[in-house]
Amino acid sequence: MRLETERLAMRPVDTADLDAIASFMSDPEVCRYLGDGKPRTRDRVARSVAFARRMWAERGFGPFAIERKGLSGGAGTENVFVGVCLLLPIARSGTDPADFEARGPEIEFGYWLARGAWGHGYATEAARAVLAWAVAGDGARQERVIAVTNPANEASKRVLEKVGMRLVGQTDAYYDAVTTLYEIGL
Ligand SMILES: CC(C)(COP(=O)(O)OP(=O)(O)OC[C@H]1O[C@@H](n2cnc3c(N)ncnc32)[C@H](O)[C@@H]1OP(=O)(O)O)[C@@H](O)C(=O)NCCC(=O)NCCS
């Protein structure tokens, strides 16, 4: 499975991505608006990566690794890992987000980018391709995908608006927190 845009390549998250993901998820700025706002431990990232692998194996969709495509020819031909585009069951309030068995049934969309990759439009570019595949295309065939964000996360809300997700409003139904809910569907 591979999705390509002008500048990016997306493929299923792999166990070999653990170091790269654990590295940027240890950055407090990246985790500022995620869950409890604390940097993610390597152990927690490892459990997320293991769950991502299971999603792909059992359901045929799941979190994507986002890579900046290398330039063709000469120096810089290697793809560079820039982040993750999430597609996985959401944690409803009252359940443990780390307990992946308890998640769902709604499918959540989201993105985590390494700080050095912010501000280039990568999240928007990746999100458009993944959502098109997940909802309308020949991919996950989801009738509805949702996204929730910390109401103060302006960059994330802007990305969700740019990719055409519909603002539903504030909710406390997920992650034991008040979040801003968006949806997209057929
Ligand atoms: C949210 C995140 C993915 C955005 O990535 P990105 O590649 O920089 O996003 P894009 O460049 O595609 O778009 C960001 C948009 O938000 C805008 N923006 C950025 N910071 C902003 C702020 N503080 N206030 C208002 N708008 C802001 C940008 O101007 C841009 O909009 P524009 O194209 O209209 O100018 C990135 O910051 C990130 O990984 N953050 C940490 C993890 C996270 O919070 N993920 C979201 C979980 S719901």
Side-chain angles (χ1 to χ4, degrees), residues 24-34 37 39 113 115 118 153:
F24 75 76
M25 292 304 284
S26 69
D27 179 345
E29 273 301 305
V30 172
C31 296
R32 183 171 168 197
Y33 296 117
L34 306 181
L113 262 59
R115 195 160 20 146
W118 296 6
N153 193 346

Side-chain angles (χ1 to χ4, degrees), residues 14-26 42 45-46 49 81:
D14 191 77
T15 351
D17 299 322
L18 174 58
D19 284 346
I21 301 173
S23 170
F24 75 76
M25 292 304 284
S26 69
R42 184 182 173 84
V45 174
V49 169
F81 190 97

Side-chain angles (χ1 to χ4, degrees), residues 30 34 111 113 118-119 121-124 153-156 158-159 162:
V30 172
L34 306 181
Y111 25 71
L113 262 59
W118 296 6
Y122 293 156
T124 304
N153 193 346
E154 299 297 340
S156 182
R158 180 82 191 110
V159 171
K162 284 196 291 181

